[in-house]
Structure formats: structure tokens, C-alpha cells
């Protein structure tokens, strides 16, 4: 058996005293690079330190806005929404490349990284709403291909292991008017280049309801939020995954922070938003390494080696603070590592 690889969703809470609005402005204006770069590099190093096998660049900006703002800016385009490839850059990749260089110097190994990009469907919904302009949908998919091409250009000192399209609306949003054929076409346009580079192409869904549709595209990794909704496992047919050579990125730790705090409040009869020390119960009592390991074991009994990656369900942008977020990542790492070690010992 191959080890299950631990990746993360990307987003994190901003450090104390820094807002997401400040990060957005700093990334656009480029007038406070020293502070911005330091914040991103520190968070990325911390992901490595707590045990993420393939870390995603730290995301402190709105996922859709980060890409759509560039696409909608006329000076970046040949014509409306038709992006010039050289402008399709993810600033954070430039920042983490320096950390990757240091990592290689210290360890002699090349760091593997996950790059998360807004998916064409969610991007379209934000830009055009509940309409079905198929041509515009296709253009946005081509724009995302440009971001992916530029991501490979930016990877001077690290290797891109996974490109992930963030498509939480797919399968749960009834505003999507496109046919399955249109969706397959857009996902194919956005994913073909990365697959041709030998990189795993992931789609991050909240629900795997549309997974069979994804299996008809070059995307070979389907990620979904299993930890909070274990019943999603029942939607998958292992044979469909095998026949299409598709693998799973399994959410094995919960990230729905409001629900988790609600459980703490009910269990201990407190308001954890006011008594912040009780928030630690999330990582000491609820989302523990053992719970993570048990979730993996349950899913493995159904999907077996179709599980290639595991991660928290989603990003951690709206968690109360970085300390709690990194503790969840650390617990997730421990649970996955313990699962891998047990599977290895069973095989010997």
C-alpha cells in the first residue's frame, strides 16, 4: 500500500492585528511587501513544521476574488475577460519559492507543493450569476489554464505535486444552469495542461454528488468533506473510480468551526466565543489524532487504495486564530501518519 499523503486546504486565519482586507490591499498595491512576504513565508514554514506532507501556499485572500480581480482588470486582458497569460500570476507562489529554496538547502530535497485555484464554475457564478453564457464559461476556463501555466513557471525551487480547482458549488448549488457537457468541457480545458505535466489534478467539492461527471474529465483526484458528513462515502462507487483511474482526497478532520464550537458549548455549558480557553477542546477532545485515524480506517475499508490524499475538510480561514488552526493541522498529520504506520506494519 502507498502511504496516504497529507495535504491542506490552503487558507488560514490572518495573524493577530492583520485583516484579510489589509492582505488584499497589500497584494494589489505591492507597497508593503516586506510585511506581506514575511507573513506568508512564516505561515508556510509552519505548515511544513506541523507535518503537512504537501503544503498549499498560505491563502489569506478571498479565493474567488484573488483570481477574478485580475481577470476583470482590463489592463490585464486582450479583451474583456480574455487574460494575457503573463498577467495570470499567483503572488503567493513567488513568496513561497524562497522558503522552498531554503528547504532544499537544509534537507537536500525538493519540496512538493499543492496549488489551489478557483474553479471555473464558482468563478463564473461570482462573475455572471445564474445565467448560462457558455462562451464566457469557456473563456474563464482558459484563463485558469493560464494561471496554471504561470504557476509552473513560478516553481523554480519546488515541485507542484497537486493543482486543485476549488468548486464547492458543484453538486450543491441549484443556480448552476450549465449542462453536464458544458461542465465537463470547462473542467477539461482547465485541467488538461496540468495533467500533461504529470501533476495530479484535484477538484475540491463539498459534496461528491457530481463525482461521476468529474470522472469524465482529466481530473484524477476528487476531494470532498467526509469528516463532517460521513454519509458522503455512500455516494461513491469504487468501481467507477477504478474504471476512470480516479483517486480520492478525503477530508478527515472537521473545519466547520461554528458547529464545532456549538458542540463545545453544549458539552461544557459555556460560550466558547467568550471563554476562549474552551476552544482548545476542539483539538484536545474532538478533532484528535485518534479520531482522524479512525475516520481514515472507516473510509479505507470502503475505498481502499483509491484514497491517495487526506486533509482537513476545507480551509481554515475563519478559525478564531492561527494557533488553533495549526494545532488542527498537527493533529491531522499525526492521525494520518499513525494510519500509514499501522497499514505498513499489517503488510509486513
Amino acid at each position: 500500500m502507498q502511504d496516504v499523503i497529507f495535504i491542506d486546504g490552503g487558507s488560514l486565519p490572518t495573524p493577530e492585528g492583520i485583516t484579510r482586507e489589509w492582505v488584499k490591499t497589500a497584494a494589489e498595491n505591492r507597497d508593503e511587501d516586506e510585511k506581506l512576504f514575511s507573513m506568508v513565508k512564516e505561515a508556510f514554514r509552519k505548515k511544513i513544521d506541523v507535518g503537512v506532507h504537501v503544503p498549499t501556499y498560505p491563502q489569506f485572500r478571498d479565493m474567488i476574488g484573488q483570481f477574478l480581480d485580475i481577470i476583470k482588470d482590463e489592463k490585464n486582458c486582450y479583451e474583456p475577460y480574455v487574460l494575457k497569460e503573463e498577467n495570470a500570476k499567483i503572488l503567493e507562489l513567488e513568496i513561497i519559492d524562497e522558503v522552498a529554496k531554503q528547504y532544499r538547502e537544509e534537507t537536500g530535497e525538493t519540496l512538493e507543493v499543492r496549488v489551489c485555484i478557483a474553479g471555473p464554475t464558482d468563478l463564473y457564478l461570482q462573475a455572471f450569476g445564474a445565467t448560462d453564457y457558455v462562451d464566457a464559461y469557456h473563456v474563464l476556463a482558459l484563463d485558469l489554464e493560464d494561471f496554471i501555466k504561470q504557476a509552473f513557471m513560478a516553481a523554480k525551487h519546488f515541485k507542484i505535486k497537486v493543482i486543485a480547482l476549488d468548486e464547492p458549488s458543484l453538486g450543491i448549488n441549484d443556480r448552476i444552469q450549465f449542462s453536464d457537457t458544458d461542465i465537463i468541457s470547462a473542467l477539461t480545458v482547465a485541467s488538461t495542461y496540468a495533467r500533461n505535466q504529470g501533476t495530479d489534478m484535484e477538484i475540491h467539492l463539498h459534496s461528491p454528488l457530481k463525482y461521476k461527471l468529474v470522472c469524465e474529465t482529466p481530473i484524477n483526484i476528487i476531494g470532498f468533506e467526509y469528516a463532517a458528513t460521513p454519509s458522503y462515502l455512500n455516494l461513491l462507487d469504487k468501481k467507477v473510480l477504478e474504471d476512470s483511474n480516479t483517486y480520492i482526497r478525503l477530508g478527515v478532520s472537521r473545519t466547520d468551526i461554528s458547529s464545532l464550537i456549538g458542540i463545545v458549548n453544549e458539552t461544557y455549558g459555556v460560550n466558547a466565543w467568550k471563554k476562549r480557553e474552551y476552544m482548545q477542546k476542539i483539538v484536545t477532545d474532538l478533532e484528535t489524532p485518534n479520531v482522524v485515524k479512525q475516520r481514515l480506517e472507516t473510509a479505507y475499508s470502503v475505498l481502499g487504495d483509491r484514497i491517495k490524499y487526506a486533509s482537513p475538510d476545507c480551509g481554515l480561514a475563519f478559525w478564531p486564530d492561527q494557533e488553533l488552526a495549526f494545532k488542527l493541522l498537527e493533529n491531522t498529520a499525526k492521525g494520518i501518519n499513525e494510519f500509514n504506520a499501522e497499514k505498513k506494519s499489517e503488510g509486513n
Side-chain angles (χ1 to χ4, degrees):
M1 151 188 174
Q2 293 291 313
D3 280 355
V4 173
I5 301 166
F6 176 26
I7 58 179
D8 74 292
S11 65
L12 289 167
T14 51
E16 190 172 351
I18 295 178
T19 64
R20 288 167 69 82
E21 291 73 21
W22 179 88
V23 177
K24 180 180 186 294
T25 302
E28 290 172 353
N29 296 345
R30 302 298 303 274
D31 54 359
E32 295 193 71
D33 275 4
E34 186 175 347
K35 182 178 179 182
L36 176 66
F37 282 33
S38 175
M39 179 188 71
V40 173
K41 286 192 285 189
E42 185 176 337
F44 191 60
R45 286 193 195 98
K46 192 71 183 285
K47 288 189 183 192
I48 298 167
D49 291 345
V50 297
V52 182
H53 301 156
V54 179
T56 307
Y57 67 86
Q59 214 159 27
F60 295 112
R61 294 190 272 168
D62 174 69
M63 164 62 79
I64 296 173
Q66 176 177 344
F67 297 93
L68 195 56
D69 288 348
I70 292 173
I71 294 168
K72 290 174 74 172
D73 190 333
E74 290 182 4
K75 74 174 183 293
N76 294 328
C77 300
Y78 294 110
E79 56 185 83
Y81 291 92
V82 180
L83 195 58
K84 298 175 183 176
E85 185 187 320
E86 64 268 22
N87 294 324
K89 293 180 178 177
I90 301 172
L91 175 61
E92 287 82 355
L93 297 183
E94 174 190 333
I95 300 173
I96 67 165
D97 194 60
E98 188 177 326
V99 179
K101 182 182 178 183
Q102 293 171 348
Y103 181 89
R104 181 187 281 170
E105 290 168 353
E106 292 167 4
T107 67
E109 299 176 357
T110 299
L111 186 67
E112 293 183 320
V113 170
R114 176 179 178 270
V115 175
C116 195
I117 294 174
T121 313
D122 268 59
L123 209 58
Y124 182 92
L125 288 172
Q126 183 77 18
F128 298 101
T131 56
D132 58 350
Y133 303 130
V134 177
D135 289 350
Y137 189 34
H138 183 77
V139 166
L140 289 175
L142 287 169
D143 290 340
L144 295 180
E145 181 185 52
D146 287 339
F147 277 104
I148 291 169
K149 288 177 179 177
Q150 286 295 309
F152 281 97
M153 296 281 289
K156 295 180 176 66
H157 297 99
F158 60 88
K159 177 187 177 184
I160 297 177
K161 174 78 169 175
V162 183
I163 298 272
L165 295 176
D166 196 44
E167 290 278 43
S169 295
L170 204 57
I172 62 170
N173 191 332
D174 58 11
R175 293 172 66 222
I176 297 171
Q177 302 295 315
F178 295 112
S179 68
D180 285 357
T181 301
D182 293 332
I183 294 170
I184 289 169
S185 176
L187 294 178
T188 297
V189 167
S191 60
T192 297
Y193 181 85
R195 290 297 292 137
N196 286 343
Q197 309 311 304
T199 298
D200 279 340
M201 192 75 201
E202 177 196 349
I203 187 165
H204 171 214
L205 308 171
H206 282 190
S207 156
L209 195 61
K210 292 272 191 182
Y211 85 98
K212 289 181 181 178
L213 178 153
V214 176
C215 289
E216 295 184 47
T217 76
I219 293 167
N220 67 319
I221 308 291
I222 297 174
F224 66 96
E225 301 190 352
Y226 165 69
T229 316
S231 61
Y232 281 162
L233 197 63
N234 302 330
L235 297 174
L236 300 173
D237 183 335
K238 185 180 178 185
K239 188 173 187 309
V240 172
L241 299 174
E242 289 172 340
D243 288 348
S244 60
N245 201 26
T246 305
Y247 292 86
I248 293 299
R249 188 279 297 158
L250 195 73
V252 291
S253 50
R254 289 178 62 172
T255 55
D256 49 337
I257 187 65
S258 295
S259 298
L260 289 169
I261 288 175
I263 294 170
V264 171
N265 290 346
E266 189 174 333
T267 302
Y268 296 96
V270 298
N271 182 348
W273 290 108
K274 291 184 177 179
K275 294 189 174 183
R276 296 290 284 263
E277 65 272 17
Y278 276 90
M279 286 190 183
Q280 294 300 315
K281 299 291 185 183
I282 292 170
V283 289
T284 59
D285 293 14
L286 302 179
E287 296 302 302
T288 64
N290 191 52
V291 167
V292 168
K293 180 168 73 75
Q294 287 174 353
R295 286 183 183 131
L296 250 178
E297 287 169 349
T298 300
Y300 188 83
S301 69
V302 176
L303 295 176
D305 62 4
R306 287 294 106 188
I307 302 172
K308 185 170 184 179
Y309 297 96
S311 70
D313 270 348
C314 199
L316 300 167
F318 301 107
W319 276 49
D321 55 59
Q322 283 196 354
E323 182 184 355
L324 198 66
F326 281 121
K327 186 61 181 173
L328 181 83
L329 291 179
E330 185 178 357
N331 283 0
T332 308
K334 288 177 179 176
I336 294 169
N337 291 340
E338 287 171 11
F339 170 83
N340 286 334
E342 283 189 10
K343 284 295 171 196
K344 248 180 208 164
S345 66
E346 288 171 9
N348 292 338

